[in-house]
């Protein structure tokens, strides 16, 4: 399965279409970290009658009035309140004339100790179908944060979205899937990959950010979180900071494009860890 995936990556680079990418200022996740004094507002769930517990979780969200979701049709956004250890995440978030509303998402109490996969322990009344990702893995989990980049080290697993995600099944810790591929070697959402632990990364002379990703993939692994048109990692959307720290000669990408950075990622050395598969309902 990993061999088939690596071949897809190689073919995409050869065709110069669908190369691996890192989403940053579009199709990624802005995180608004707020204090305990942040005023709370109601975020209306598009169809609250089907999930009243989620609407209750969104009745009082410390969402800043000037907050902006990520560009792109997913319009993701995360609110993190460290003092309360609570996290809210949204899919399809927008501010209308009548207030904030979103198509779907989730909320997590005791976020620091949560598994990162939605279920009954996340919030009173929470269901495995909650969450802004298609797998019900939190979109805050696996995100390359600005703090990671400032430190020069990623001390957690990575999240990735892939094309050709397998249909009909998902792997723990995912709770659901939007996969549509019937190819027998396609990877399911929730699959846990890692780089071969014996691979000497220093000998590969990778760009700085590529090496950071590879070290995280070797130590913590990569979880398949979503489906996308090309393989993509997610780096924190900097819109709350008012800066663009990725591009330019002094940016974290060091003047290269994400596709160029990931061209040297050792895709062929990935390994797939044992999966516990579940059928989609």
């Amino acid at each position: 399965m990993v061999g088939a995936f690596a071949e897809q990556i190689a073919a995409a680079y050869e065709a110069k279409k669908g190369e691996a990418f890192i989403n940053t200022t579009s199709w990624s996740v802005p995180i608004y970290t707020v204090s305990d004094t942040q005023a709370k507002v109601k975020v209306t769930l598009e169809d609250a009658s089907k999930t009243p517990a989620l609407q209750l979780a969104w009745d009082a969200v410390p969402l800043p009035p000037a907050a902006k979701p990520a560009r792109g049709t997913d319009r993701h956004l995360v609110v993190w309140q460290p003092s309360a250890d609570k996290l809210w995440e949204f899919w399809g978030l927008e501010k209308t004339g009548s207030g904030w509303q979103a198509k779907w998402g989730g909320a997590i109490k005791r976020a620091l100790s949560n598994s990162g996969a939605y279920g009954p322990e996340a919030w009173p009344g929470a269901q495995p179908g909650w969450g802004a990702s298609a797998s019900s893995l939190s979109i805050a989990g696996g995100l390359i944060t600005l703090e990671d980049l400032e430190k020069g080290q990623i001390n957690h697993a990575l999240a990735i979205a892939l094309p050709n995600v397998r249909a009909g099944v998902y792997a723990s810790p995912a709770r659901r899937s939007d996969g549509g591929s019937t190819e027998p070697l396609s990877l399911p959402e929730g699959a846990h990959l890692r780089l071969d632990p014996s691979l000497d990364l220093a000998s590969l002379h990778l760009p700085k950010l590529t090496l950071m990703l590879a070290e995280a993939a070797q130590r913590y692994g990569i979880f398949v979180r979503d489906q996308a048109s090309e393989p993509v990692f997610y780096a924190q959307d900097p819109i709350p900071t008012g800066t663009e720290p990725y591009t330019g000669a002094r940016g974290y990408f060091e003047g290269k494009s994400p596709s160029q950075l990931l061209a040297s990622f050792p895709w062929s050395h990935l390994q797939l860890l044992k999966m516990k598969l579940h059928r989609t309902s």
Side-chain angles (χ1 to χ4, degrees), residues 33-100:
T33 303
V34 298
S35 70
D36 56 359
T37 60
Q38 176 63 53
K40 296 180 180 179
V41 297
K42 180 178 181 178
V43 178
T44 301
L45 178 60
E46 189 171 272
D47 193 350
S49 62
K50 291 184 178 179
T51 317
L54 183 53
Q55 182 59 74
L56 283 173
W58 288 3
D59 278 351
V61 181
L63 178 61
K68 295 180 180 179
R71 293 199 297 267
T73 54
D74 286 343
R75 300 198 303 276
H76 283 153
L77 184 144
V78 165
V79 176
W80 160 234
Q81 191 172 48
S83 60
D85 194 19
K86 293 180 181 178
L87 178 147
W88 295 262
E89 61 180 58
F90 305 97
W91 173 68
L93 180 70
E94 62 178 333
K95 193 174 188 179
T96 69
S98 56
W100 291 98

Side-chain angles (χ1 to χ4, degrees), residues 69-153:
R71 293 199 297 267
T73 54
D74 286 343
R75 300 198 303 276
H76 283 153
L77 184 144
V78 165
V79 176
W80 160 234
Q81 191 172 48
S83 60
D85 194 19
K86 293 180 181 178
L87 178 147
W88 295 262
E89 61 180 58
F90 305 97
W91 173 68
L93 180 70
E94 62 178 333
K95 193 174 188 179
T96 69
S98 56
W100 291 98
Q101 64 181 38
K103 296 180 181 297
W104 196 242
I108 302 176
K109 287 187 173 181
R110 296 183 292 277
L112 290 176
S113 59
N114 187 268
S115 69
Y118 276 96
E121 71 285 349
W123 198 280
Q127 299 295 321
W130 285 25
S133 74
S135 59
S136 285
L137 298 177
S138 172
I139 57 174
L143 186 67
I144 304 162
T145 68
L146 295 175
E147 183 180 2
D148 294 333
L149 296 169
E150 289 167 6
K151 290 180 177 178
Q153 191 172 46

